[in-house]
């Protein structure tokens, strides 16, 4: 797999509601992005929505916009829709960009990996 970029996540708030044993949680975040095809930041307002069943199983759906430069130094944005099963470290990202260099991201087969290390929480996006 080829690494495209790494998201360094900064969580700054959350909301949750529990109803009939199911928890609905929203985690607000922003951050920075580094990688060979894109450098920039995660715009404020990114949200990770989690639906957690009483048994602890569930799914997350994170949506956010990146702003920065593609590998040729052109200003651009990437919209990310990232899905995953709770408790797993793999994600299923879909990416859409206004950069001519990256406009085919939506057609590529991508995979994300969630990692927590000395740098904090991050998601590495790969092309399969």
């Amino acid at each position: 797999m080829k690494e495209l970029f790494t998201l360094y996540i900064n969580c700054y708030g959350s909301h949750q509601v529990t109803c009939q044993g199911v928890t609905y949680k929203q985690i607000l975040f922003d951050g920075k992005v580094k990688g060979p095809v894109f450098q920039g930041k995660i715009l404020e307002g990114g949200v990770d929505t989690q639906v957690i069943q009483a048994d602890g199983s569930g799914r997350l759906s994170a949506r956010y916009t990146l702003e920065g430069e593609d590998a040729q130094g052109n200003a651009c944005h990437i919209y990310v829709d990232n899905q995953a099963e709770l408790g797993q470290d793999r994600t299923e990202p879909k990416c859409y960009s206004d950069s001519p260099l990256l406009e085919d991201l939506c057609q590529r087969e991508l995979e994300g990996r969630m990692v927590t290390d000395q740098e904090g929480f991050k998601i590495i996006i790969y092309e399969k």
Side-chain angles (χ1 to χ4, degrees):
M1 290 195 301
K2 175 183 164 187
E3 181 180 335
L4 299 178
F5 49 84
T6 299
L7 307 160
Y8 297 86
I9 309 294
N10 172 51
C11 298
Y12 61 84
S14 67
H15 312 284
Q16 78 176 43
V17 173
T18 300
C19 178
Q20 299 180 351
V22 179
T23 300
Y24 303 88
K25 181 185 277 190
Q26 291 180 308
I27 301 169
L28 306 171
F29 64 92
D30 58 13
K32 61 184 177 178
V33 186
K34 295 181 181 179
V37 303
F38 182 85
Q39 303 272 335
K41 63 183 178 179
I42 304 168
L43 295 176
E44 185 176 325
V47 64
D48 174 1
T49 303
Q50 301 178 1
V51 178
I52 307 164
Q53 303 300 320
D55 66 2
S57 66
R59 282 195 59 80
L60 68 82
S61 174
R63 292 181 176 91
Y64 42 96
T65 301
L66 312 178
E67 179 180 73
E69 296 180 346
D70 64 23
Q72 294 178 344
N74 299 309
C76 65
H77 296 87
I78 300 174
Y79 174 77
V80 182
D81 182 346
N82 209 351
Q83 310 285 320
E85 293 291 326
L86 288 177
Q88 302 294 315
D89 67 349
R90 303 284 184 215
T91 71
E92 302 164 9
K94 298 288 185 192
C95 298
Y96 308 88
S97 181
D98 56 8
S99 163
L101 187 65
L102 299 173
E103 68 184 352
D104 70 337
L105 274 178
C106 63
Q107 298 167 346
R108 299 185 198 180
E109 192 173 349
L110 305 178
E111 180 177 298
R113 182 166 173 250
M114 295 183 278
V115 176
T116 302
D117 61 17
Q118 69 277 4
E119 295 178 297
F121 179 65
K122 59 187 177 182
I123 300 173
I124 306 166
I125 305 292
Y126 298 95
E127 182 173 10
K128 291 185 180 180

